[in-house]
Amino acid sequence: MNADDSPSEFALTEGFREDGDSAPADERVYRVALGLYDPAGVTTVAERASCAPDTARRHLNRLADIGVIEVVSETPLTYTRNESYFEWRQRNRLENRSSSELQESLSELTTREREFRDQFGVDAPDKVDALEHADFDDVEAVWLDLSEWQTVRERIARLEAVRQQRATESASDGEPA
């Protein structure tokens, strides 16, 4: 195989890009909107979604209307991901799980949270100095553990909120909690 026959080093990303580009514009804009952790304008979203700014604006307005994203500023028009919408969605999905499934997940997560507390000797990830717990080469692993610990704590909070909501609803219906 000569140099002209070798596959491009970007062949994999080109294939992914082509798959993304073949999706309808509303889906591409939605995918971009999911990642708007920092405010972005219509032109930026249009470029990332490979569509015209007018198309992006139309879909962004629809996503803002249903609460997926929020308008951050009017001039220039910028949007960001609406975290409360995603929190609601996650809780809604949890509400569809049985009480035993919730309890099992809660048990697994609280065990994992306890392991993190034991590993780092503190009761919250924000109280950990990663550099004190790792050699220079291992600091990324500590950061990943701390990120996972924070995620575990957030999931516990969501599960507990759903569990408490069910208990409150059961109590108000006159059923045992």
Side-chain angles (χ1 to χ4, degrees), residues 5-172:
D5 295 335
S6 65
S8 164
E9 71 181 72
F10 300 108
L12 181 61
T13 58
E14 287 171 3
F16 181 74
R17 175 90 175 160
E18 288 169 8
D19 289 345
D21 288 346
S22 67
D26 63 334
E27 187 176 323
R28 294 192 315 266
V29 171
Y30 178 72
R31 287 180 190 169
V32 171
L34 292 179
L36 293 180
Y37 293 99
D38 295 318
V42 173
T43 303
T44 301
V45 172
E47 288 171 1
R48 291 179 189 170
S50 300
C51 66
D54 287 343
T55 302
R57 182 177 292 105
R58 184 176 71 248
H59 295 302
L60 288 167
N61 286 336
R62 181 182 56 80
L63 292 171
D65 287 345
I66 63 174
V68 174
I69 58 175
E70 298 174 308
V71 174
V72 176
S73 68
E74 295 288 335
T75 308
L77 186 57
T78 57
Y79 299 89
T80 189
R81 175 184 159 108
N82 180 359
E83 291 303 325
S84 62
Y85 168 81
F86 291 97
E87 179 68 25
W88 168 81
R89 245 179 79 174
Q90 289 173 334
R91 283 191 183 176
N92 197 31
R93 286 182 181 156
L94 289 174
E95 288 172 359
N96 293 325
R97 296 174 68 186
S98 71
S99 293
S100 63
E101 288 174 320
L102 288 176
Q103 191 59 42
E104 182 179 332
S105 294
L106 198 53
S107 178
E108 290 170 4
L109 289 168
T110 54
T111 298
R112 185 70 178 128
E113 206 272 339
R114 193 174 317 111
E115 290 169 354
F116 281 123
R117 280 187 276 135
D118 292 345
Q119 176 183 347
F120 292 106
V122 295
D123 60 354
D126 60 348
K127 295 181 179 177
V128 175
D129 181 348
L131 297 176
E132 287 181 12
H133 286 275
D135 295 330
F136 180 75
D137 293 343
D138 297 329
V139 74
E140 278 190 44
V142 173
W143 286 332
L144 287 172
D145 282 347
L146 295 175
S147 178
E148 181 185 349
W149 188 5
Q150 184 61 39
T151 300
V152 164
R153 291 170 60 95
E154 290 168 4
R155 288 180 179 166
I156 289 170
R158 272 190 220 104
L159 286 167
E160 186 59 21
V162 169
R163 190 191 67 74
Q164 287 179 7
Q165 179 183 351
R166 282 189 184 172
T168 302
E169 289 171 356
S170 292
S172 68

